[in-house]
Amino acid sequence: MRYYLIAGEASGDLHASRLMESLKKVDPIAEFRFFGGDRMKAVGGVCVRHIRDLAYMGFVPVLLHLRKIMGNMKFCKQDIVEWKPDVVILVDYAGFNLSIAKFLHAKTNIRVYYYISPKIWAWKEWRIKAIKRDVDEMFSILPFEVDFYEKRHHYPIHYVGNPTAEEVRNFRTSYNETKEAFCARHGLDGRPIIALLAGSRKQEIKDNLPAMIAAADRFADYELVLACAPSVESAYYTNFIEGTRVKTVDDETYQLLSHSTAALVTSGTATLETALLGVPQVVCYETPVPRLIRFGFNHIIKVDYISLVNLIGGREIVPELFADRFSVYNIANALYNILPGHTNRDAQLDGYKTVSDRLGDAVAPDNAAQTIYGLLWK
């Protein structure tokens, strides 16, 4: 079979590359052509556009690069038609990918599958009309999306499992380093650890890390350890931790969490990773114009929570301190309530079991690949 994949961001490149590997297991003669990144290139096939030429986030960057974006879209449509794939697999990246899906539905007979749904359940729910019209099959990695699509919008989808859950399971099976060895390796003194996960983008770090440090520093019996993202140079972190008692760990977030007593975490996949590794957490996310953001969350955004833990659990398992609730005092207070000896800690850990159960133990890319290959033969 011939598979044309479109991923426009680093996370999409990772998920698409794993899907490609799984497709090769069920279809040894699979041919790939794609918009993607280095991980997809490593699997094989022809990369016709790299994600570094695609990933523009925010209104102003998109506006500044609009001509290039439109050129890439025109080229993509033409390239798909000329290559004649058996299926086009879209990976997240909604603005670009839904335009491609619309074109393919209107102008060709090529099947369109979507792997990792765009987050239309949070906002832009009106996009469901385009998805129902233009996307032949949807493959989801979040269990609550099944009810959203099937019950709310009468559009059947495939929940294939969650890649993060699988990654954490694999890590926990193979990791056996003691806390003593971990601390010795990183120059830590062996006290209980509060982990700081401030995000992978510089703006997130700038917005969140100072308040995280100020809140955690109130707990003198704990060592404060920052998980540094590989995409951010160490010198940038120095601006925030110089003169503090914060230590750092580079690109070892799972290892750090395995030995942590609690964590302060920005919203995103890190909240789910922290939960699956069994570490009580406080979700912290500073926003501009906090009162306006709170109004938008209450009246415009279509979900009750911002963290994947709470979205999957269907209730507030972890505290979410964002917009007008984001403050050093609130963070410190919430952190105190999840330390050993406090009832909120046990309640969180119990809630994590619900999250794990709902995610299941399916291997998402393998499950998706088998389903995709089977559907293509129908």
Side-chain angles (χ1 to χ4, degrees):
M1 296 281 186
R2 300 181 117 194
Y3 305 88
Y4 199 110
L5 297 95
I6 305 173
E9 299 165 334
S11 60
D13 177 43
L14 171 62
H15 291 307
S17 69
R18 296 200 62 216
L19 177 61
M20 290 163 65
E21 290 172 343
S22 296
L23 284 168
K24 288 173 72 173
K25 296 177 187 175
V26 296
D27 184 4
I29 59 172
E31 295 180 59
F32 300 114
R33 191 173 177 89
F34 53 87
F35 277 42
D38 293 338
R39 288 186 171 94
M40 295 170 75
K41 288 173 69 175
V43 178
V46 177
C47 179
V48 293
R49 286 288 189 276
H50 197 281
I51 57 172
R52 62 175 164 272
D53 299 318
L54 304 172
Y56 302 111
M57 302 292 289
F59 177 77
V60 174
V62 168
L63 190 63
L64 291 174
H65 295 91
L66 188 58
R67 185 174 180 179
K68 187 172 186 179
I69 293 168
M70 297 306 294
N72 284 332
M73 193 174 295
K74 181 180 179 180
F75 170 79
C76 184
K77 293 172 182 177
Q78 181 181 344
D79 195 52
I80 292 171
V81 170
E82 291 179 355
W83 197 56
K84 298 181 177 64
D86 294 287
V87 63
V88 172
I89 301 175
L90 311 173
V91 184
D92 203 354
Y93 196 44
F96 189 97
N97 276 336
L98 287 176
S99 294
I100 297 297
K102 181 179 180 180
F103 166 80
L104 293 173
H105 174 79
K107 303 295 184 181
T108 76
N109 293 317
I110 298 170
R111 280 176 277 195
V112 177
Y113 293 174
Y114 218 124
Y115 181 59
I116 304 181
S117 166
K119 298 174 180 62
I120 65 168
W121 36 264
W123 68 313
K124 296 186 178 180
E125 189 172 349
W126 49 265
R127 282 178 162 169
I128 186 62
K129 294 180 180 178
I131 288 174
K132 292 174 74 171
R133 180 190 66 223
D134 301 328
V135 176
D136 298 301
E137 303 286 345
M138 176 69 74
F139 299 85
S140 167
I141 63 170
L142 296 172
F144 62 84
E145 290 181 337
V146 175
D147 282 351
F148 172 81
Y149 279 108
E150 297 189 350
K151 292 185 179 179
R152 186 163 177 164
H153 293 290
H154 310 291
Y155 176 68
I157 69 170
H158 309 270
Y159 173 66
V160 294
N162 186 274
T164 300
E166 181 206 351
E167 290 162 11
V168 171
R169 280 197 305 272
N170 292 341
F171 171 81
R172 297 186 79 162
T173 299
S174 61
Y175 185 64
N176 55 17
E177 184 179 31
T178 64
K179 182 182 177 184
E180 290 74 16
F182 176 82
C183 290
R185 211 161 44 82
H186 292 287
L188 307 179
D189 61 21
R191 281 179 294 166
I193 294 171
I194 295 174
L196 308 177
L197 280 63
S200 59
R201 298 187 181 97
K202 288 184 176 180
Q203 188 62 47
E204 285 180 328
I205 296 165
K206 178 176 179 290
D207 290 343
N208 293 292
L209 185 55
M212 285 179 163
I213 293 173
D217 194 47
R218 300 185 180 192
F219 300 89
D221 293 337
Y222 288 81
E223 194 152 23
L224 313 184
V225 185
L226 171 65
C228 297
S231 58
V232 179
E233 63 273 15
S234 59
Y236 186 76
Y237 289 108
T238 303
N239 298 324
F240 306 101
I241 66 173
E242 192 169 26
T244 73
R245 59 189 184 92
V246 175
K247 303 288 182 63
T248 62
V249 168
D250 295 323
D251 198 19
E252 287 192 42
T253 301
Y254 285 12
Q255 292 88 336
L256 170 61
L257 287 171
S258 294
H259 302 298
S260 296
T261 300
L264 301 180
V265 190
T266 60
S267 183
T269 305
T271 64
L272 183 56
E273 293 170 328
T274 303
L276 293 173
L277 285 161
V279 183
Q281 64 184 296
V282 178
V283 177
C284 318
Y285 205 84
E286 197 272 345
T287 65
V289 287
R291 290 185 180 179
L292 180 61
I293 294 296
R294 177 63 61 185
F295 177 85
F297 186 81
N298 290 338
H299 299 283
I300 300 173
I301 296 175
K302 303 292 186 180
V303 293
D304 295 326
Y305 308 106
I306 64 167
S307 70
L308 286 175
V309 177
N310 291 344
L311 286 165
I312 294 167
R315 59 187 175 87
E316 187 176 281
I317 295 170
V318 299
E320 298 180 345
L321 306 181
F322 70 100
D324 56 332
R325 297 174 188 167
F326 181 93
S327 70
V328 172
Y329 174 82
N330 286 345
I331 295 169
N333 188 55
L335 178 58
Y336 173 80
N337 286 325
I338 61 168
L339 293 177
H342 297 275
T343 56
N344 286 13
R345 181 179 182 85
D346 292 335
Q348 260 198 47
L349 293 173
D350 188 61
Y352 286 173
K353 296 175 185 175
T354 300
V355 172
S356 181
D357 289 344
R358 291 186 177 179
L359 289 173
D361 57 6
V363 179
D366 285 355
N367 200 8
Q370 291 165 6
T371 306
I372 288 170
Y373 189 65
L375 288 168
L376 291 175
W377 277 105
K378 286 185 177 180

